[in-house]
């Protein structure tokens, strides 16, 4: 039995709607494993009810300024904006930075890539799918660890376009 991409997407959607964190299906020599990424929730500390805010005070301005005040420029305003392009996973699978465990990674942070050059591999259902850069530029972020499961649409890397 083989699983179509649509069936895998449907399983991921169903899995995301439940508390189940991992699902494995086996049929003959085909095995499909789907795991949810670990998410951490951070909660703000509770403020005791006895603490109350001081009443707000208002002051009247007799002669308001007639012209709007221009915002003060910041250092960030003077820096050139960089166009970052995200390389996303086109499928659910396992992320690999190199063609085999003994080989060097396809790319490192700071490497320059050309449009169409392979930047990683996503293994899905025992098939190795090469993921290519959609633009030329410099790798500025690699957001996934080697051998980590990835979701459809998950950002893998960011490229500063040249």
């Amino acid at each position: 039995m083989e699983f179509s991409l649509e069936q895998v997407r449907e399983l991921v959607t169903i899995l995301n709607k439940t508390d189940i964190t991992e699902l494995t299906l086996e049929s003959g020599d085909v095995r499909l494993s789907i795991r949810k990424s670990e998410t951490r929730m951070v909660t703000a500390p509770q403020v005791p009810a006895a603490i109350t805010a001081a009443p707000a005070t208002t002051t009247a301005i007799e002669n308001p300024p007639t012209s709007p005040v221009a915002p003060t420029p910041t250092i960030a305003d003077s820096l050139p904006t960089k166009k970052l392009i995200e390389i996303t996973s086109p499928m659910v699978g396992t992320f690999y930075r190199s063609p085999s465990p003994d080989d060097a990674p396809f790319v490192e942070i700071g490497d320059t890539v050309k449009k169409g050059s392979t930047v990683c591999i996503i293994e899905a259902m025992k098939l190795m799918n090469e993921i290519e850069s959609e633009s030329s530029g410099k790798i500025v972020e690699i957001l996934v660890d080697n051998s980590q499961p990835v979701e459809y649409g998950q950002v893998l890397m960011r490229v500063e376009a040249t």
Side-chain angles (χ1 to χ4, degrees), residues 3 15 20 22-26 30-35:
F3 299 99
L15 187 66
I20 299 171
E22 185 173 340
L23 174 69
T24 302
L25 300 173
E26 292 186 31
V30 177
R31 181 175 181 226
L32 173 66
S33 257
I34 303 173
R35 279 181 237 120

Side-chain angles (χ1 to χ4, degrees), residues 22-159:
E22 185 173 340
L23 174 69
T24 302
L25 300 173
E26 292 186 31
S27 178
D29 62 342
V30 177
R31 181 175 181 226
L32 173 66
S33 257
I34 303 173
R35 279 181 237 120
K36 284 186 186 179
S37 298
E38 180 181 322
T39 58
R40 298 174 191 214
M41 295 187 64
V42 178
T43 57
Q46 296 294 324
V47 178
I51 298 175
T52 58
T57 57
T58 57
T59 341
I61 300 175
E62 289 187 22
N63 295 322
T66 55
S67 62
V69 178
T72 307
T74 63
I75 294 173
D77 294 332
S78 63
L79 295 176
T81 56
K82 298 177 181 178
K83 183 176 180 186
L84 294 181
I85 297 171
E86 295 179 335
I87 299 174
T88 58
S89 177
M91 65 194 71
V92 174
T94 304
F95 173 86
Y96 293 107
R97 293 188 57 197
S98 60
S100 71
D102 298 333
D103 291 338
F106 288 107
V107 293
E108 295 284 356
I109 293 177
D111 287 355
T112 301
V113 294
K114 293 182 181 178
K115 181 178 180 174
S117 61
T118 301
V119 294
C120 65
I121 291 176
I122 303 292
E123 177 188 5
M125 296 178 19
K126 297 187 181 186
L127 294 175
M128 300 297 183
N129 301 282
E130 292 185 350
I131 308 303
E132 299 175 347
S133 176
E134 294 180 12
S135 68
S136 297
K138 181 171 81 172
I139 302 289
V140 293
E141 285 183 281
I142 299 175
L143 304 166
V144 184
D145 292 329
N146 197 43
S147 303
Q148 181 178 344
V150 293
E151 299 290 328
Y152 169 78
Q154 181 177 345
V155 179
L156 306 172
M157 299 177 191
R158 289 195 176 101
V159 177

